[in-house]
Amino acid sequence: MNEAMLKYVDRIQAGLEALVPQMEERVPQLGEMPALLAKSMRYSLLAGGKRVRPSMLIGAVEMLDGPMDQAVLPACALEMIHTYSLIHDDLPGMDNDSMRRGRPTSHMVFGEGQAILAGDGLLSFAFECMLKNALHYPARALQHLRAMDEIARGAGVSGMVGGQCMDLYAEHNEDWSEELLTYIQHNKTAALFIAALRAGARLSDADEASLQALTEYGTLFGRLFQVVDDILDVQGNADEMGKSVGKDAQSGKLTAVTRYGLEGARKEAERLTEQAMDTLRPFGGDAGFFVTLLKDMSHRVR
Ligand code: GRG
């Protein structure tokens, strides 16, 4: 993990700890979250993910001279949404995985029903926390609502949920077009990175040109992230990745590797890296964090 990211991750970790605290196990009072739900939410949330998406949100705010103190909560909320997506993605009805973030998956520990609820809980709690935060800054409520709008759309039906829908669809259909693969990469994976960057830009009152450049970076970075994940599914190590590998071809998934082969996917990763680097030009030396993030990502498959 690079140095700037470590600095962000400390704040994110502290924010998450405070938002979903450990609770005493007893029958909950009216209006209280059950300790069991807090436990299953914390189990996945604090299992040591890389925190790339929330770091990107805070990184965008820092690059654009926005209010860093107001960015931590939306960043934590974004990580809750990402964690919910991982819990649901691992369920028997989706990818049916038993390991995630180096631990048994939520449904292996808490059972399928409680795992579904841990995901539902994280998704709804993320919006509850962001709304509370927006109300805490009445003079800047519009910026917070705009940031929430970016996150809601990135996570939703025309974003991540839409991408996951087409990912599952492709497992049972022969229509493996380039267009479908791009849709899946863009929506299932890139949409949350784009949302992180655009939410950071909204909190910072960024101009249209910066929003556009960050959208392009998020799109290319997110597609690269997915292609790297596809390559590592073939050549990666389960211990290092904290999840099972070698499942994509077996379960008939449409990925850069199953569509173009390993060499084709590597070339695609190089192309996406170069294009993403170009999108950072308007930010000059201020974009150091995003340059490093991109280099770290592309080096994972070199
Ligand atoms: C269930 C609505 C819904 C969506 C699921 C996130 C997702 C969409 C699917 C995960 C499948 C997958 C392996 C995608 C590859 C890209 C990805 C999102 C990897 C996991 O993200 P990391 O590497 O994970 O940032 P950590 O644990 O570090 O946060």
Side-chain angles (χ1 to χ4, degrees):
M1 204 181 288
N2 68 63
E3 247 173 66
M5 185 120 157
L6 275 176
K7 184 179 71 178
Y8 298 147
V9 166
D10 280 349
R11 294 190 196 197
I12 295 159
Q13 204 66 17
L16 292 173
E17 278 280 352
L19 286 166
V20 190
Q22 227 153 2
M23 292 172 67
E24 198 191 322
E25 297 200 16
R26 53 167 170 72
V27 176
Q29 301 286 304
L30 290 179
E32 216 180 47
M33 154 162 49
L36 173 58
L37 194 51
K39 191 173 174 182
S40 60
M41 285 159 65
R42 281 176 64 90
Y43 175 82
S44 299
L45 198 56
L46 300 171
K50 295 183 287 297
R51 315 302 193 207
V52 182
R53 296 154 193 81
S55 296
M56 273 185 156
L57 191 156
I58 300 178
V61 172
E62 186 161 39
M63 180 171 79
L64 298 166
D65 284 326
M68 294 278 281
D69 54 326
Q70 295 180 27
V72 177
L73 203 139
C76 290
L78 189 63
E79 182 66 14
M80 286 187 208
I81 295 170
H82 166 58
T83 305
Y84 120 74
S85 80
L86 298 179
I87 296 173
H88 281 193
D89 186 64
D90 291 334
L91 287 168
M94 294 218 195
D95 274 5
N96 195 17
D97 268 307
S98 55
M99 287 298 283
R100 172 71 71 179
R101 293 181 162 173
R103 300 179 162 190
T105 45
S106 183
H107 65 270
M108 300 293 288
V109 177
F110 298 97
E112 197 176 344
Q114 293 295 350
I116 293 171
L117 292 172
D120 293 342
L122 285 166
L123 175 61
S124 50
F125 194 54
F127 283 96
E128 194 178 319
C129 291
M130 282 192 285
L131 266 175
K132 201 167 165 191
N133 190 49
L135 294 170
H136 188 73
Y137 299 102
R140 302 198 75 252
L142 191 60
Q143 285 86 342
H144 281 273
L145 284 179
R146 286 193 172 129
M148 286 177 68
D149 175 51
E150 299 290 352
I151 292 173
R153 282 189 292 130
V157 291
S158 320
M160 182 179 70
V161 176
Q164 181 77 349
C165 166
M166 294 315 284
D167 180 90
L168 287 183
Y169 163 88
E171 271 184 40
H172 306 285
N173 287 279
E174 306 288 298
D175 153 40
W176 278 15
S177 64
E178 197 171 323
E179 205 184 352
L180 180 59
L181 178 59
T182 306
Y183 181 92
I184 293 170
Q185 292 170 344
H186 191 121
N187 290 273
K188 182 179 93 168
T189 312
L192 272 202
F193 293 112
I194 299 168
L197 295 162
R198 289 184 62 96
R202 293 294 191 191
L203 286 175
S204 314
D205 290 304
D207 60 20
E208 203 41 54
S210 300
L211 272 162
Q212 196 46 43
L214 286 174
T215 306
E216 279 164 27
Y217 175 79
T219 304
L220 294 159
F221 177 89
R223 290 185 57 203
L224 170 70
F225 192 96
Q226 185 57 60
V227 174
V228 167
D229 197 75
D230 297 345
I231 295 172
L232 292 176
D233 184 72
V234 178
Q235 62 175 41
N237 171 305
D239 286 338
E240 273 167 35
M241 294 183 69
K243 62 171 188 157
S244 53
V245 292
K247 281 189 67 187
D248 289 348
Q250 210 180 311
S251 49
K253 275 217 172 290
L254 170 56
T255 73
V257 175
T258 57
R259 179 74 168 74
Y260 304 122
L262 200 49
E263 224 17 71
R266 285 208 186 100
K267 286 210 175 82
E268 178 74 348
E270 275 172 34
R271 193 182 62 80
L272 291 166
T273 305
E274 280 166 23
Q275 288 182 351
M277 206 57 91
D278 280 348
T279 65
L280 294 173
R281 277 215 188 107
F283 305 109
D286 294 337
F289 169 67
F290 293 104
V291 170
T292 308
L293 208 54
L294 192 53
K295 283 188 182 158
D296 288 352
M297 187 50 57
S298 71
H299 283 151
R300 291 184 77 195
V301 290
R302 285 230 179 117

